């Protein structure tokens, strides 16, 4: 096979991208970074972004610990669960170490998983250039903002630029930050993309990517009745089943909700301006390819509501019946498809070995709700 020379030899991701992927290092697109572990492409992480990630992950850990402690105290007080049982639960739900220590350990484990290299800013960032950028308000410093807040981004970008110059390697950076974008426009070494999927596609063999996407579109792999579309639909249905759904509603009565469920109605794959399904190739090897598509999913959500009013005399709540309500919601999700087979042949010979639906229904708005008075009246007649 003819070797294809790629334009980039390294990739880096900012913390906002990590956060946008939910810090789910071993799922979805972040797990696809594993393809660089044994490849010539180097994964870079500056110490600045590393420390930002530690801070944000640590904050999430702190929130979780506080929530657990609050629930345990409430269980002891409101449910009268014995203190020794609470203590056992607390021990099961605890993990040793400070928030920063736990966060750093998780990051280091992920770096090992994807073969990432941490680079020290003091070794590569040009401090004189940094000060020149600051006083001249050059990107990523922006007019009209507190420029001091942009120092971490500026140091990270200069460190990446210095590393790239020293190693004679061009870098793809993943970020939606305006300052990063403005900086990269004047950089010979750093090319910015806004999504991880787009970045991953840049590292796939160029002509092979184009050939596969053209083949998929021309032969309607994702635009006609076939087993791949059927398997995508079933994967979406499976992703909906069993997930907790947060309910938003309003009522002139006090209410509680329970027994939430969602039922699949339909989905529509994302199309481009030509009406063709948007497809990104995020990984190619000798055995399989991984594609990313997007879809808008419509579901029907059902929830049971119990209503009550407060008795002003005894200060207790009096039940006023219930209702089972439904509403329709839609949400967007990305989907990763792992395909194997001979792509030069008919699509019936292609096997879908894995479908990963990255998002599911998380909340539903029922608007105004009230008891089912008709049902209550019919029950009384019986």
């Amino acid at each position: 096979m003819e070797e294809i020379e790629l334009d980039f030899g390294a990739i880096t991701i900012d913390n906002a991208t990590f956060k946008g992927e939910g810090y789910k290092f071993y799922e979805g697109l972040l797990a696809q970074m594993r393809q660089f572990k044994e490849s010539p492409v180097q994964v870079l992480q500056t110490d600045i972004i590393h420390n930002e990630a530690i801070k944000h992950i640590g904050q999430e850990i702190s929130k979780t610990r506080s929530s657990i402690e609050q629930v345990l105290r409430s269980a002891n007080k409101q449910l009268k669960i014995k203190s020794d049982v609470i203590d056992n639960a607390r021990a099961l739900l605890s993990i040793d170490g400070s928030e920063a220590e736990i966060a750093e350990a998780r990051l280091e484990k992920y770096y090992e998983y994807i073969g990432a290299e941490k680079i020290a800013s003091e070794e590569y960032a040009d401090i004189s250039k940094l000060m020149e950028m600051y006083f001249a308000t050059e990107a990523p410093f922006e007019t009209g903002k507190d420029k001091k807040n942009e120092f971490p981004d500026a140091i990270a970008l200069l460190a990446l630029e210095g590393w790239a110059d020293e190693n004679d390697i061009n870098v793809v950076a993943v970020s939606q930050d305006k300052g990063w974008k403005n900086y990269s426009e004047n950089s010979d070494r750093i090319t910015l993309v806004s999504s991880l999927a787009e970045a991953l596609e840049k590292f796939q063999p160029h002509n092979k990517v184009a050939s596969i996407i053209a083949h998929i579109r021309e032969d309607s792999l994702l635009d006609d009745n076939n087993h791949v579309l059927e398997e995508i639909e079933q994967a979406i249905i499976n992703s909906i089943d069993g997930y907790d759904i947060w309910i938003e509603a309003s009522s002139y009565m006090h209410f509680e909700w329970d027994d939430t469920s969602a039922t699949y109605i339909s989905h529509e794959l994302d199309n481009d301006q030509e009406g063709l399904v948007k497809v990104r190739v995020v990984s190619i090897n000798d055995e399989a390819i991984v594609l990313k598509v997007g879809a808008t999913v419509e579901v029907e959500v059902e929830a049971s509501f119990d209503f009550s009013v407060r008795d002003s005399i005894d200060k207790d709540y009096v039940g006023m019946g219930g209702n089972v309500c439904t509403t329709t919601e839609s949400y967007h999700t990305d989907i990763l498809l792992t395909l194997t087979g001979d792509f030069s042949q008919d699509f019936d010979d292609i096997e879908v070995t894995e479908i990963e639906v990255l998002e599911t229904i998380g909340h539903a708005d029922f608007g105004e709700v009230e008891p089912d008075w008709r049902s209550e009246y019919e029950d009384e007649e019986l």
Side-chain angles (χ1 to χ4, degrees):
M1 178 184 294
E2 182 181 353
E3 185 176 346
I4 300 171
E5 183 178 351
L6 299 179
D7 300 326
F8 308 98
I11 181 172
T12 189
I13 306 171
D14 76 346
N15 182 56
T17 302
F18 278 133
K19 187 176 181 180
E21 296 294 331
Y23 297 109
K24 294 183 286 189
F25 296 130
Y26 307 101
E27 302 175 32
L29 291 173
L30 290 181
Q32 293 297 322
M33 294 288 289
R34 171 76 173 179
Q35 65 186 276
F36 300 123
K37 172 80 171 181
E38 305 298 335
S39 82
V41 176
Q42 295 181 257
V43 182
L44 305 178
Q45 179 66 294
T46 66
D47 50 4
I48 297 291
I49 303 303
H50 173 74
N51 291 331
E52 283 185 0
I54 288 175
K55 178 181 177 182
H56 284 89
I57 296 173
Q59 289 172 344
E60 294 302 316
I61 295 170
S62 179
K63 289 178 185 177
T64 301
R65 282 176 161 172
S66 297
S67 297
I68 291 172
E69 190 59 35
Q70 183 178 357
V71 169
L72 291 176
R73 287 199 301 267
S74 179
N76 180 248
K77 181 179 179 181
Q78 304 297 337
L79 303 179
K80 308 304 179 185
I81 296 176
K82 295 180 180 179
S83 296
D84 58 339
V85 176
I86 296 294
D87 290 340
N88 288 337
R90 182 179 286 110
L92 289 172
L93 296 171
S94 297
I95 184 171
D96 293 334
S98 67
E99 286 83 357
E101 290 170 341
I102 297 168
E104 182 156 27
R106 289 180 184 174
L107 285 166
E108 294 291 350
K109 184 178 179 181
Y110 178 63
Y111 298 159
E112 172 62 25
Y113 179 73
I114 63 175
E117 174 189 350
K118 249 192 329 185
I119 62 176
S121 297
E122 64 268 18
E123 292 184 21
Y124 298 105
D126 185 339
I127 301 302
S128 62
K129 175 62 176 174
L130 174 68
M131 300 311 297
E132 178 184 328
M133 291 162 55
Y134 175 76
F135 288 110
T137 316
E138 297 176 5
F141 297 106
E142 298 178 36
T143 304
K145 295 181 66 175
D146 187 348
K147 292 194 296 182
K148 294 179 182 178
N149 294 335
E150 305 301 324
F151 265 111
D153 283 341
I155 295 171
L157 288 164
L158 285 174
L160 290 170
E161 189 93 40
W163 182 95
D165 283 337
E166 184 170 311
N167 291 275
D168 193 23
I169 292 176
N170 294 334
V171 180
V172 171
V174 185
S175 176
Q176 294 185 7
D177 184 83
K178 182 180 178 181
W180 281 54
K181 181 178 183 296
N182 291 339
Y183 180 91
S184 67
E185 289 175 350
N186 296 311
S187 171
D188 295 328
R189 288 297 187 183
I190 300 175
T191 296
L192 192 88
V193 296
S194 60
S195 73
L196 183 53
E198 183 181 354
L200 293 173
E201 188 171 76
K202 284 185 176 295
F203 290 96
Q204 312 312 319
H206 296 174
N207 58 356
K208 192 171 184 179
V209 169
S211 174
I212 289 172
I213 290 179
H215 186 48
I216 287 171
R217 288 176 165 176
E218 290 168 5
D219 290 6
S220 301
L221 171 64
L222 300 172
D223 196 31
D224 202 356
N225 293 327
N226 57 66
H227 72 101
V228 177
L229 283 180
E230 291 172 0
E231 291 183 56
I232 290 175
E233 180 176 314
Q234 188 58 53
I236 293 173
I237 293 171
N238 294 342
S239 74
I240 295 168
D241 186 38
Y243 272 82
D244 291 333
I245 303 172
W246 179 260
I247 300 302
E248 296 177 5
S250 58
S251 178
Y252 59 91
M253 295 183 182
H254 175 79
F255 68 88
E256 295 181 350
W257 49 266
D258 199 1
D259 297 332
T260 61
S261 63
T263 303
Y264 170 86
I265 297 175
S266 64
H267 75 275
E268 183 176 348
L269 296 176
D270 295 348
N271 291 335
D272 60 19
Q273 294 179 346
E274 300 175 1
L276 300 173
V277 175
K278 290 183 180 179
V279 181
R280 287 199 179 279
V281 180
V282 299
S283 177
I284 297 176
N285 58 40
D286 292 337
E287 299 176 351
I289 69 169
V290 179
L291 309 177
K292 184 189 82 71
V293 297
T296 299
V297 183
E298 186 176 17
V299 297
E300 182 181 76
V301 182
E302 180 179 286
S304 298
F305 292 86
D306 292 315
F307 299 89
S308 59
V309 295
R310 191 168 185 268
D311 189 321
S312 60
I313 297 176
D314 61 15
K315 311 300 183 185
D316 201 359
Y317 282 90
V318 179
M320 297 298 291
N323 200 354
V324 177
C325 302
T326 61
T327 188
T328 300
E329 290 281 356
S330 63
Y331 64 94
H332 187 271
T333 181
D334 287 332
I335 302 169
L336 298 184
L337 308 173
T338 302
L339 308 179
T340 58
D342 186 350
F343 288 86
S344 65
Q345 302 301 318
D346 189 85
F347 282 127
D348 289 338
D349 297 325
I350 294 176
E351 181 181 355
V352 182
T353 55
E354 183 179 2
I355 299 180
E356 190 175 359
V357 181
L358 303 188
E359 302 291 339
T360 189
I361 179 72
H363 73 279
D365 189 346
F366 282 78
E368 190 74 19
V369 293
E370 65 177 7
D372 184 358
W373 300 114
R374 178 179 297 181
S375 176
E376 295 293 326
Y377 178 75
E378 290 173 352
D379 288 343
E380 287 179 6
E381 285 189 331
L382 294 174

